Amino acid sequence: MQIGFLGTGLMGAHMVRNLLKAGHTVTVWNRTIAKAEALAADGATVAASPDRVVAGVDLVISMLADGPATEAILSDPALRQALSPGSIWVDMSSAKPEESRAHARGLAPLGVAHLDAPVSGGTRGAEAGTLAIMAGGAADTFDRALPALDAMGRPVLVGPSGSGQLAKLANQAVVAISISAVAEAMLLLERGGADPAAVRDALKGGFADSTILQQHGARMSARDFAPGGFTRLQIKDLDNVLGEAASLGLTLPATQETRRRFVRLRDEMAGGELDHSALFMELCDLNQLETGR
């Protein structure tokens, strides 16, 4: 497929490389142009502006910070004029469900189909091509986009427009609360004198096992909080979870408390640019222990 890719940050760059490895032709753009230019060596074509990325392609993929960032590009008249009728826009950013539905409505008069297809799996999943891809939209649009989506991970159509973002919000609630639970478990093991690495090995395949236990548990033990998933973006996702819950008349107490702790990590411990597994630092600080940063 001829693909235009907008947003080649920590995850987007790996996703582009996997598209290229699968034989697709990819034109890339990033606000910080050096991040896009780094992909030229892998075979990508670098464009100077978003409208040049989308011109003449079968599929546009956006991997941006949030819904408003995507909207800012979508609303550009030059880009809208450059879009090809019959093409597909796949927004793999994390946004609010209503933002994605609005994007779909805005593209329809241009003859451009839309999928909201946020991902989970972090930079490791992006690099390995094993991302969980939660797609919302029409079944025929999803089927047409599969050659690209399959190159980046495991795509599943979860419902109509906006459903992919709703699934991502559910995912982020599980991730955040699980990080909190794993942090407590790792600290308990350390202070109690057990070997956290040995315990993680013992729990493999058991009911408590998870990617977060194994990967983020190891990060916590090593005090390695180099960003894979930023704390500031975790907070943004939790804000969206709670906003959607409020619109449905729901109270999510565990999500509320976990968000409060992530905000404390960001605001009181300057942890916004750290990996979200750095919630372990906040827990150490809460217990008046060395954070190990």
Side-chain angles (χ1 to χ4, degrees):
M1 300 181 77
Q2 299 283 335
I3 298 172
F5 201 105
L6 302 164
T8 57
L10 283 174
M11 294 183 64
H14 292 306
M15 295 159 74
V16 168
R17 291 188 181 101
N18 285 324
L19 290 167
L20 291 166
K21 289 175 186 176
H24 301 293
T25 301
V26 187
T27 301
V28 298
W29 172 87
N30 193 77
R31 195 172 302 278
T32 303
I33 195 64
K35 294 181 179 179
E37 290 172 342
L39 293 165
D42 298 286
T45 300
V46 181
S49 59
D51 58 292
R52 296 185 182 182
V53 168
V54 307
V57 301
D58 307 304
L59 188 77
V60 178
I61 296 174
S62 49
M63 187 63 178
L64 303 168
D66 51 26
T70 304
E71 174 62 26
I73 288 178
L74 274 172
S75 61
D76 176 39
L79 178 136
R80 295 178 70 81
Q81 186 173 3
L83 285 167
S84 300
S87 62
I88 302 170
W89 188 296
V90 181
D91 185 21
M92 306 188 80
S93 318
S94 293
K96 298 176 183 177
E98 180 49 40
E99 289 172 336
S100 289
R101 289 189 284 266
H103 295 162
R105 291 192 298 268
L107 287 167
L110 304 177
V112 178
H114 181 273
L115 291 174
D116 52 288
V119 301
S120 180
T123 52
R124 292 189 182 185
E127 184 175 11
T130 57
L131 291 169
I133 303 173
M134 303 150 271
D140 61 339
T141 303
F142 176 76
D143 291 341
R144 288 168 55 205
L146 272 178
L149 298 178
D150 281 336
M152 296 179 286
R154 187 176 62 86
V156 177
L157 183 65
V158 297
S161 180
S163 297
Q165 297 296 352
L166 189 62
K168 178 61 184 287
L169 294 183
N171 176 87
Q172 292 305 86
V174 171
V175 166
I177 295 167
S178 297
I179 288 173
S180 175
V182 168
E184 293 186 10
M186 292 302 101
L187 186 60
L188 181 69
L189 293 169
E190 285 188 10
R191 298 297 291 178
D195 180 350
V199 174
R200 289 194 302 273
D201 187 50
L203 295 180
K204 282 183 179 177
F207 206 50
D209 194 18
S210 68
T211 301
I212 290 174
L213 174 65
Q214 297 301 335
Q215 292 188 9
H216 282 350
R219 280 175 171 267
M220 293 169 187
S221 294
R223 308 302 197 261
D224 175 15
F225 303 123
F230 288 104
T231 288
R232 60 178 170 80
L233 295 181
Q234 182 72 73
I235 295 168
K236 180 262 297 182
D237 288 338
L238 293 178
D239 286 342
N240 288 343
V241 171
L242 294 171
E244 191 70 14
S247 74
L248 297 170
L250 300 175
T251 298
L252 306 180
T255 304
Q256 289 173 337
E257 173 59 15
T258 305
R259 178 200 175 273
R260 184 193 65 77
R261 292 184 53 213
F262 272 111
V263 169
R264 180 171 179 265
L265 172 63
R266 180 194 66 190
D267 294 349
E268 298 183 25
M269 304 179 66
E273 299 301 313
L274 298 178
D275 189 79
H276 52 183
S277 59
L279 192 65
F280 182 80
M281 289 173 43
E282 191 273 345
L283 181 64
C284 289
D285 184 72
L286 187 66
N287 283 279
Q288 298 182 330
L289 300 170
E290 289 292 331
T291 62
R293 183 174 178 180

